[in-house]
């Protein structure tokens, strides 16, 4: 292979009569590196007092934080001091040698090797007082309004110097000038701490400009330093989710060829945030840069009180993947002090954390076209009080892609994780009596759902998870998720909304994203596009985790924009508000992103005709392997209560259909009386089946409306029967004809019982009149309170 070549350029200067012990002679120049990562003995600058003396090293080209392709000026190289240390002096043949070693010749700014030199200056410095560094403050979290500013000053002259003015300006404010009394000896340094403190309390960027202002100092190029300090907040309340919607989250970026930007992603593939509109991305509208080593820094998190501190985030990735050779990659580091950084996480630990291990601790993401938003989770180290992160992007000088975007950064104590078992045989219960604290529903130590009451009182609440394992399901219009849950509170009629968290696994979401077989069905492109279908049934028995028997209730849909998918553990939770219960499903809302799921049968009615026949009608939205429908009836209350149904007839199903279909059956039998209860038995080709809700039909008026006990101490039971959805108004009058109480009752077709409560002392003993009216009937009875 190539062995490379050494190249030197010499400059000879007549400095006859210049005494290095008397005059402070300096050198500086501009230089540009061309992608030169080679640390070689000849990539340096040397000097000598005359052309017969040995060369003395003066400057190293490869140790200055160089950015390839960019000219930068060296520091002021103190030639006199270097020569004196080597027992040499200036002469008429003083020389400077510029050296470089290269294997590949210069061909562009940053992809090859070599150096350019320009603007070479040799000059005398007089009374040179230098500002070497600003030691404090440093980038850290939780800066205050009284931060110490400490600097290092050097006297580069050959004379002791006293009374050095030191000037400071914070964030462009009023200049502050203090004085270092000294004296400061020749070639000595001293640390100076300003008496006045700097106010850096406001989170975000701050700029501190410090300079030394010694009057006879003729070289001003090393008098001033500017320090950019970022005050990041310390986050102490958990769980903490940063979705970057209000602002940039007090994250900041830095590094060489830095492409990180905060805002609305609008590249070809990564073209939206995971939630809301804003996120952090390497170049919001395109690709990251070649030869990039950039950092995205987080605020600080006080995780000292956590048992299992965890980091989850939504991430999208598009990095050049060269297989066994690292080209471009991404990883995350953590630090306790903001100075020492360590690689965070490992391949295969957590969820979707890193996909490559190049050895020697080089574990990272290097993957192309994983541009859908997805969860990435890793446990955090324990025993750490405060932690911060930085996302590190590295690229080679050649091919680039869209890079990385992050959103919904979630730091929390992962003490339970997501329920990952089978369909639960029975629900878990919690009694919720109000407040604002989250109430967790847990099975086997894992989370199914959480509910935040928002000062509502749902009472004893049952939650159950149903897990499909037989292939991704669809309702002929859209696929839906393998997990669904039911939430059944004792008090379902809430005055205001509660907040629900519905937990699900990334592996289940991946099943949905990869579903196939239904040409007419839509599906989400990523988990963040999932919405929530809610089904509420007047009969809790049909809120059972089965979509097929959802007939008599109501469906509604909360689109993806109306809820939050928060990365958590090995998946997500979707967070939303609701006043109604209880079946909840995950789907993307079909082609218009607004359509709820639908049950197999979308309507089922039984209505009496004038001749006492009963017309049973039903409609299917779609059919999958349905063999036939059996029409069943229970004759009278006793048979109904004993579940004694008999078959009236059958109607063949379509088998498989994506179109809406209407069916009917007429019960023309004679001798109907009292109440008959009708239902459908929907039978599949494999002989499995499910039942529809029951529809009662009233045939005569022999169902007695009555009140008991009467007389009583003020509590009465009112027995009545109304058609389904028929309204009745009940009014109670005292002996003087004054209205003292009224109620509105809605019928369901069954014999029902309502409580009339006159126990209060405001209802004195005596005679009252109960009057109950519907659109067709009126019932009155005297009530006697003892």
């Amino acid at each position: 292979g190539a062995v490379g070549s050494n190249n030197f350029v010499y400059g000879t200067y007549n400095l006859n009569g210049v005494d290095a012990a008397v005059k402070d002679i300096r050198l500086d120049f501009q230089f540009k590196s061309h992608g030169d990562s080679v640390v070689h003995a000849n990539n340096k600058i040397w000097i000598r007092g005359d052309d017969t003396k040995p060369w003395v090293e003066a400057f190293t080209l490869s140790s200055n934080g160089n950015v390839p392709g960019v000219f930068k000026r060296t520091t002021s190289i103190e030639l006199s001091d270097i020569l004196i240390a080597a027992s040499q002096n200036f002469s008429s043949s003083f020389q400077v040698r510029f050296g470089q070693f290269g294997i590949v010749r210069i061909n562009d700014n940053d992809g090859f090797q070599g150096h350019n030199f320009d603007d070479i200056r040799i000059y005398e410095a007089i009374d040179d007082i230098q500002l070497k560094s600003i030691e404090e403050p440093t980038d850290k979290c939780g800066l205050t309004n009284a931060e110490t500013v400490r600097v290092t000053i050097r006297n580069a002259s050959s004379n002791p110097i006293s009374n050095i003015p030191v000037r400071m300006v914070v964030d462009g404010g009023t200049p502050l000038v203090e004085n270092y009394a000294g004296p400061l000896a020749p070639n000595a340094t001293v640390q100076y701490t300003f008496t006045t403190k700097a106010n850096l309390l406001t989170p975000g960027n701050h700029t501190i400009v410090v300079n030394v202002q010694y009057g006879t100092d003729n070289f001003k190029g090393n008098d001033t330093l500017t320090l950019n300090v970022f005050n990041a907040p310390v986050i102490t309340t958990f769980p903490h989710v940063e979705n970057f919607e209000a602002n940039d989250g007090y994250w900041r970026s830095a590094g060489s060829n830095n492409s990180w930007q905060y805002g609305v992603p609008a590249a070809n593939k990564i073209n939206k945030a995971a939630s809301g509109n804003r996120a952090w991305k390497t170049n919001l509208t395109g690709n990251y840069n070649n030869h990039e080593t950039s950092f995205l820094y987080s605020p600080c998190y006080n995780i000292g009180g956590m048992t299992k501190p965890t980091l989850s985030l939504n991430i999208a990735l598009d990095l050049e993947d060269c297989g066994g050779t690292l080209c471009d990659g991404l990883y995350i580091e953590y630090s306790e002090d903001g100075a020492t950084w360590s690689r965070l996480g490992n391949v295969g630990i957590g969820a979707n954390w890193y996909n490559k291990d190049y050895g020697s601790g080089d574990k990272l993401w290097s993957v192309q076209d994983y541009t859908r938003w997805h969860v990435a989770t890793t446990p955090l180290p324990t025993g750490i009080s405060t932690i911060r992160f930085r996302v590190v992007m590295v690229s080679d000088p050649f091919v680039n892609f869209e890079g990385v975007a992050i959103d919904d950064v979630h730091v929390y104590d992962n003490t339970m994780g997501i329920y990952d078992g089978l369909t639960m045989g029975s629900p878990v219960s919690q009694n919720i009596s109000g407040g604002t604290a989250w109430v967790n529903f847990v099975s086997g130590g894992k989370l199914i759902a959480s509910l935040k009451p928002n000062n509502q009182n749902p009472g004893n609440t049952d939650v159950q998870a149903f897990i499909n394992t037989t292939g991704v399901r669809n309702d002929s219009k859209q696929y839906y998720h393998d997990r669904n849950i039911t939430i059944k509170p004792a008090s379902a009629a809430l005055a205001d909304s509660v907040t629900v968290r519905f937990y699900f696994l990334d592996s289940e979401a991946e099943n949905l994203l990869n579903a196939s077989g239904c040409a007419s069905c839509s599906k989400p492109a990523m988990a963040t596009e999932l919405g929530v279908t809610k089904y509420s049934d007047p009969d809790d028995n049909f809120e059972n985790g089965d979509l097929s028997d959802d007939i008599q209730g109501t469906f509604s849909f909360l689109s993806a924009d109306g809820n939050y998918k928060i990365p958590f553990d090995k998946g997500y939770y979707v967070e939303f508000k609701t006043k109604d219960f209880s079946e909840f499903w995950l789907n993307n809302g079909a082609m218009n992103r607004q359509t709820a799921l639908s049950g197999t049968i979308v309507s089922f009615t039984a209505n009496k005709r004038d001749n006492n026949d009963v017309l049973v009608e039903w409609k299917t939205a779609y059919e999958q392997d349905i063999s036939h429908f059996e029409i069943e009836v229970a004759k009278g209350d006793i048979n109904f209560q004993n579940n004694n149904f008999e078959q009236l007839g059958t109607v063949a199903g379509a088998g498989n259909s994506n179109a809406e279909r209407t069916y009917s059956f007429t019960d023309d039998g004679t001798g109907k009386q009292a109440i008959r209860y009708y239902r459908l038995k929907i039978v599949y080709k494999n002989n499995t089946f499910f039942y529809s809700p029951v529809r009662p039909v009233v045939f005569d008026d022999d169902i007695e409306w009555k009140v008991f006990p009467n007389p009583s101490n003020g509590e009465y039971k009112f027995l009545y029967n109304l058609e389904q959805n028929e309204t009745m108004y009940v009014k109670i009058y005292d002996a003087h004809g004054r209205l003292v109480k009224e109620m509105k009752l809605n019928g369901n077709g069954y014999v029902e019982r309502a409580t009339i409560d006159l126990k209060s002392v405001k209802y004195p003993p005596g005679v009252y009149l109960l009057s109950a009216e519907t659109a067709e009937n009126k019932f009155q009875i005297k009530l006697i309170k003892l």
Side-chain angles (χ1 to χ4, degrees), residues 633-646 677:
V633 67
K635 298 174 181 178
D637 285 334
I638 294 176
N639 283 322
F640 173 66
Q641 291 165 6
N642 292 325
N643 199 34
N644 185 16
F645 283 82
E646 58 185 82
Y677 299 91

Side-chain angles (χ1 to χ4, degrees), residues 341-352:
W341 294 89
S342 302
R343 190 79 53 110
L344 178 64
N346 204 340
V347 178
I349 304 298
N352 299 327

Side-chain angles (χ1 to χ4, degrees), residues 63-85:
S63 60
N64 300 278
N66 307 329
V67 176
V70 177
F71 271 107
K72 67 181 297 184
R73 183 165 290 281
T74 67
T75 57
S76 185
I77 302 170
E78 298 174 14
L79 303 180
S80 294
D81 288 352
I82 296 171
L83 289 179
I84 290 172

Side-chain angles (χ1 to χ4, degrees), residues 269-270 288 316-323 325 327-330 355-356 358 365-372 374 396 399-404:
K269 301 173 186 176
I270 305 174
Y288 54 83
L317 297 164
D318 189 27
L319 304 161
E320 183 191 10
D321 177 13
C322 297
T325 301
C327 288
D328 301 344
L330 180 90
N355 70 312
K356 292 290 180 67
Y358 289 104
W365 287 289
S366 183
V367 57
Q368 294 173 208
D369 292 319
Y370 197 1
T371 53
R372 63 180 179 273
H374 60 278
D396 64 17
V399 179
N400 55 35
F401 291 96
E402 291 192 8
V404 59

Side-chain angles (χ1 to χ4, degrees), residues 178-254:
E178 295 184 1
N179 185 71
Y180 171 65
L184 184 57
N187 291 314
T189 61
V190 66
Q191 286 193 336
Y192 178 76
T193 301
F194 281 87
T195 303
T196 304
K197 305 294 185 180
N199 183 357
L200 307 177
L201 181 64
T202 304
N205 286 302
H206 296 275
T207 302
I208 301 174
V209 180
V210 181
N211 57 14
V212 287
Q213 297 184 320
Y214 193 69
T216 56
D217 180 354
N218 76 329
F219 181 68
K220 304 298 184 183
N222 52 22
D223 290 1
T224 303
L225 290 176
T226 299
L227 178 67
N228 294 309
V229 179
F230 191 88
N231 181 18
V234 179
I235 294 164
T236 58
T237 302
F238 300 96
H240 177 81
V241 179
E242 178 56 70
N243 62 13
F244 302 114
E245 290 306 297
N247 52 45
D248 61 12
Y250 297 107
W251 289 58
R252 68 177 182 90
S253 65

Side-chain angles (χ1 to χ4, degrees), residues 279-293:
W280 277 94
K281 182 186 177 298
T282 49
N283 189 351
L284 289 169
T285 59
N287 293 4
Y288 54 83
N289 295 321
N290 289 329
H291 224 285
E292 177 169 350
T293 300

Side-chain angles (χ1 to χ4, degrees), residues 264-409:
V264 179
N268 184 41
K269 301 173 186 176
I270 305 174
N271 49 32
K272 59 183 176 181
S275 66
N277 297 310
R278 295 174 177 84
W280 277 94
K281 182 186 177 298
T282 49
N283 189 351
L284 289 169
T285 59
N287 293 4
Y288 54 83
N289 295 321
N290 289 329
H291 224 285
E292 177 169 350
T293 300
S294 59
F295 307 92
L296 179 64
Y297 292 87
S298 78
C300 293
Y301 302 86
N302 187 348
I303 62 171
M306 294 187 185
T307 304
K308 294 183 178 179
T310 303
L311 169 67
S312 294
L313 56 113
N314 273 323
I315 193 167
L317 297 164
D318 189 27
L319 304 161
E320 183 191 10
D321 177 13
C322 297
T325 301
L326 174 59
C327 288
D328 301 344
L330 180 90
Y331 54 92
I332 297 180
E333 295 180 320
Y334 72 94
S335 176
E336 297 181 63
D337 57 9
T340 302
W341 294 89
S342 302
R343 190 79 53 110
L344 178 64
N346 204 340
V347 178
I349 304 298
N352 299 327
W353 199 263
Y354 301 154
N355 70 312
K356 292 290 180 67
D357 183 353
Y358 289 104
S360 302
D362 212 2
K363 300 168 184 179
L364 42 69
W365 287 289
S366 183
V367 57
Q368 294 173 208
D369 292 319
Y370 197 1
T371 53
R372 63 180 179 273
W373 287 103
H374 60 278
V375 61
T377 296
T378 187
L380 298 177
T382 56
I384 291 179
S385 174
T386 301
I387 195 171
R388 70 188 309 183
F389 312 111
R390 68 179 184 184
V391 186
V392 185
M393 171 73 205
V394 292
S395 66
D396 64 17
F398 307 106
V399 179
N400 55 35
F401 291 96
E402 291 192 8
V404 59
I406 67 165
D407 202 356
D408 303 318
V409 179

